[in-house]
Coordinates of all heavy atoms in Angstrom, one line a residue:
P124 N 24.8 25.8 -15.3 CA 25.9 25.1 -14.8 C 27.1 26.0 -14.5 O 27.6 26.6 -15.4 CB 26.3 24.1 -15.9 CG 25.7 24.7 -17.1 CD 24.7 25.7 -16.7
V125 N 27.5 26.0 -13.2 CA 28.6 26.9 -12.9 C 29.8 26.1 -12.4 O 29.6 25.1 -11.7 CB 28.2 28.0 -11.8 CG1 27.7 27.4 -10.5 CG2 29.2 29.0 -11.6
E126 N 31.0 26.4 -12.8 CA 32.2 25.7 -12.3 C 32.6 26.2 -11.0 O 32.8 27.4 -10.7 CB 33.4 25.9 -13.3 CG 33.2 25.3 -14.7 CD 33.1 23.7 -14.6 OE1 33.7 23.1 -13.7 OE2 32.4 23.1 -15.5
T127 N 32.7 25.3 -10.0 CA 33.2 25.7 -8.7 C 34.5 24.9 -8.4 O 34.9 24.0 -9.2 CB 32.2 25.3 -7.6 OG1 32.2 23.9 -7.4 CG2 30.8 25.7 -7.9
I128 N 35.1 25.2 -7.3 CA 36.4 24.5 -7.0 C 36.1 23.0 -6.7 O 37.0 22.2 -6.7 CB 37.2 25.1 -5.9 CG1 36.4 25.3 -4.6 CG2 37.8 26.5 -6.4 CD1 37.2 25.8 -3.4
H129 N 34.8 22.7 -6.5 CA 34.5 21.2 -6.3 C 33.9 20.6 -7.5 O 33.3 19.5 -7.4 CB 33.5 21.2 -5.1 CG 33.9 21.9 -3.9 ND1 35.0 21.5 -3.1 CD2 33.5 23.1 -3.3 CE1 35.1 22.4 -2.1 NE2 34.3 23.3 -2.3
G130 N 33.9 21.3 -8.6 CA 33.4 20.7 -9.8 C 32.1 21.5 -10.3 O 31.8 22.6 -9.7
E131 N 31.4 21.0 -11.3 CA 30.2 21.7 -11.8 C 29.0 21.6 -10.8 O 28.8 20.6 -10.2 CB 29.8 21.1 -13.1 CG 28.7 21.9 -13.8 CD 28.1 21.2 -15.0 OE1 28.7 21.2 -16.1 OE2 27.1 20.5 -14.8
K132 N 28.4 22.8 -10.7 CA 27.2 22.8 -9.8 C 26.1 23.5 -10.6 O 26.3 24.5 -11.3 CB 27.5 23.6 -8.6 CG 26.3 23.7 -7.6 CD 26.7 24.5 -6.3 CE 25.5 24.9 -5.5 NZ 24.8 23.9 -4.9
K133 N 24.9 22.9 -10.6 CA 23.8 23.5 -11.4 C 23.0 24.4 -10.4 O 22.5 24.0 -9.4 CB 22.8 22.4 -12.0 CG 23.5 21.7 -13.1 CD 22.5 21.4 -14.2 CE 23.1 21.0 -15.5 NZ 23.6 19.6 -15.5
V134 N 22.9 25.7 -10.8 CA 22.3 26.7 -9.9 C 21.1 27.3 -10.6 O 21.1 27.6 -11.8 CB 23.3 27.8 -9.6 CG1 22.7 29.0 -9.0 CG2 24.4 27.2 -8.7
L135 N 20.0 27.5 -9.9 CA 18.8 28.1 -10.5 C 19.0 29.6 -10.5 O 19.5 30.2 -9.5 CB 17.5 27.8 -9.7 CG 17.0 26.3 -9.7 CD1 15.7 26.2 -9.0 CD2 16.9 25.8 -11.1
A136 N 18.5 30.3 -11.5 CA 18.5 31.7 -11.6 C 17.3 32.2 -12.3 O 16.7 31.5 -13.1 CB 19.8 32.2 -12.4
E137 N 16.9 33.5 -11.9 CA 15.7 34.1 -12.6 C 16.1 35.2 -13.5 O 16.9 36.1 -13.1 CB 14.8 34.6 -11.5 CG 13.5 35.2 -12.0 CD 12.7 36.0 -10.9 OE1 13.2 37.0 -10.5 OE2 11.7 35.5 -10.6
I138 N 15.6 35.1 -14.7 CA 15.9 36.2 -15.7 C 14.6 37.0 -15.9 O 13.6 36.3 -16.3 CB 16.5 35.8 -17.0 CG1 17.7 34.8 -16.8 CG2 16.8 36.9 -17.9 CD1 18.3 34.3 -18.1
Q139 N 14.5 38.2 -15.6 CA 13.3 39.0 -15.8 C 13.6 39.9 -17.0 O 14.6 40.6 -17.1 CB 13.1 40.0 -14.6 CG 12.8 39.2 -13.3 CD 12.6 40.1 -12.1 OE1 12.9 41.3 -12.1 NE2 12.0 39.6 -11.1
I140 N 12.7 39.9 -18.0 CA 12.8 40.7 -19.2 C 11.6 41.6 -19.3 O 10.4 41.1 -19.2 CB 12.9 39.8 -20.4 CG1 14.0 38.8 -20.3 CG2 13.2 40.6 -21.7 CD1 13.6 37.4 -20.4
R141 N 11.8 42.9 -19.3 CA 10.7 43.9 -19.3 C 11.1 45.2 -20.0 O 12.3 45.4 -20.3 CB 10.3 44.2 -17.9 CG 11.5 44.5 -17.0 CD 11.1 45.1 -15.6 NE 10.8 44.1 -14.7 CZ 10.9 44.2 -13.3 NH1 11.4 45.4 -12.9 NH2 10.6 43.3 -12.5
T142 N 10.1 46.0 -20.4 CA 10.4 47.3 -21.0 C 10.8 48.3 -19.9 O 10.5 48.1 -18.7 CB 9.2 47.8 -21.8 OG1 8.1 48.0 -20.9 CG2 8.8 46.9 -22.9
L143 N 11.3 49.4 -20.4 CA 11.6 50.5 -19.5 C 10.3 51.0 -18.8 O 10.4 51.3 -17.6 CB 12.1 51.7 -20.4 CG 13.5 51.6 -21.0 CD1 13.7 52.5 -22.1 CD2 14.6 51.9 -19.9
A144 N 9.2 51.0 -19.4 CA 8.0 51.5 -18.8 C 7.5 50.5 -17.7 O 7.1 50.8 -16.6 CB 6.9 51.7 -19.8
M145 N 7.6 49.2 -18.0 CA 7.3 48.1 -17.1 C 8.2 48.2 -15.9 O 7.8 48.0 -14.7 CB 7.4 46.7 -17.7 CG 6.4 46.5 -18.8 SD 6.7 44.9 -19.7 CE 5.6 45.1 -21.1
N146 N 9.5 48.5 -16.1 CA 10.5 48.6 -15.1 C 10.2 49.8 -14.1 O 10.3 49.7 -12.9 CB 11.9 48.7 -15.7 CG 13.0 48.5 -14.7 OD1 12.9 47.5 -13.9 ND2 14.0 49.3 -14.7
F147 N 9.8 50.9 -14.8 CA 9.5 52.1 -14.0 C 8.3 51.8 -13.0 O 8.4 52.1 -11.9 CB 9.1 53.2 -15.0 CG 8.7 54.5 -14.4 CD1 9.5 55.1 -13.4 CD2 7.5 55.1 -14.8 CE1 9.1 56.3 -12.8 CE2 7.2 56.4 -14.2 CZ 8.0 56.9 -13.2
W148 N 7.3 51.1 -13.6 CA 6.1 50.8 -12.8 C 6.5 49.8 -11.6 O 6.2 50.1 -10.5 CB 5.0 50.1 -13.7 CG 3.8 49.8 -12.9 CD1 2.7 50.7 -12.7 CD2 3.5 48.7 -12.1 NE1 1.8 50.1 -11.9 CE2 2.2 48.8 -11.5 CE3 4.2 47.5 -11.8 CZ2 1.6 47.9 -10.7 CZ3 3.6 46.5 -11.0 CH2 2.4 46.7 -10.4
A149 N 7.2 48.8 -12.0 CA 7.6 47.8 -11.0 C 8.4 48.3 -9.9 O 8.3 48.0 -8.7 CB 8.3 46.6 -11.6
T150 N 9.4 49.3 -10.2 CA 10.2 49.9 -9.2 C 9.4 50.7 -8.2 O 9.6 50.6 -7.0 CB 11.3 50.8 -9.9 OG1 12.0 50.0 -10.9 CG2 12.3 51.4 -8.9
N151 N 8.4 51.4 -8.8 CA 7.6 52.3 -7.9 C 6.7 51.4 -7.0 O 6.5 51.7 -5.8 CB 6.8 53.2 -8.7 CG 7.6 54.4 -9.3 OD1 8.5 54.8 -8.6 ND2 7.4 54.7 -10.5
E152 N 6.1 50.4 -7.6 CA 5.2 49.5 -6.8 C 6.0 48.8 -5.7 O 5.5 48.6 -4.6 CB 4.6 48.5 -7.8 CG 3.3 47.8 -7.2 CD 3.6 46.4 -6.8 OE1 4.7 46.0 -6.8 OE2 2.6 45.7 -6.5
H153 N 7.3 48.4 -6.1 CA 8.1 47.7 -5.1 C 8.4 48.6 -3.9 O 8.3 48.2 -2.7 CB 9.4 47.3 -5.8 CG 10.3 46.5 -5.0 ND1 11.5 46.9 -4.4 CD2 10.2 45.2 -4.6 CE1 12.1 46.0 -3.7 NE2 11.3 44.9 -3.8
S154 N 8.7 49.9 -4.2 CA 8.9 50.9 -3.1 C 7.7 51.0 -2.2 O 7.8 51.1 -1.0 CB 9.3 52.3 -3.7 OG 10.3 52.2 -4.6
L155 N 6.5 51.1 -2.9 CA 5.3 51.2 -2.1 C 5.0 50.0 -1.2 O 4.5 50.1 -0.1 CB 4.1 51.5 -3.1 CG 4.1 52.9 -3.6 CD1 3.0 53.0 -4.7 CD2 3.7 53.9 -2.5
N156 N 5.3 48.8 -1.8 CA 5.2 47.6 -1.0 C 6.0 47.7 0.3 O 5.6 47.2 1.3 CB 5.6 46.4 -1.8 CG 4.3 45.7 -2.3 OD1 3.4 45.4 -1.6 ND2 4.3 45.3 -3.6
Y157 N 7.2 48.2 0.1 CA 8.1 48.4 1.3 C 7.4 49.4 2.3 O 7.3 49.1 3.5 CB 9.4 49.0 0.9 CG 10.5 47.9 0.8 CD1 11.0 47.5 -0.4 CD2 11.0 47.4 2.0 CE1 11.9 46.5 -0.4 CE2 11.9 46.4 2.0 CZ 12.4 45.9 0.8 OH 13.3 44.9 0.7

Side-chain angles (χ1 to χ4, degrees):
V125 63
E126 290 297 332
T127 74
I128 53 173
H129 309 291
E131 187 190 277
K132 181 177 166 65
K133 289 216 166 80
V134 165
L135 293 183
E137 181 188 70
I138 308 180
Q139 301 180 338
I140 307 123
R141 50 169 82 152
T142 61
L143 288 157
M145 293 170 193
N146 195 46
F147 179 52
W148 182 92
T150 304
N151 287 322
E152 197 255 10
H153 188 252
S154 310
L155 285 169
N156 256 314
Y157 258 107

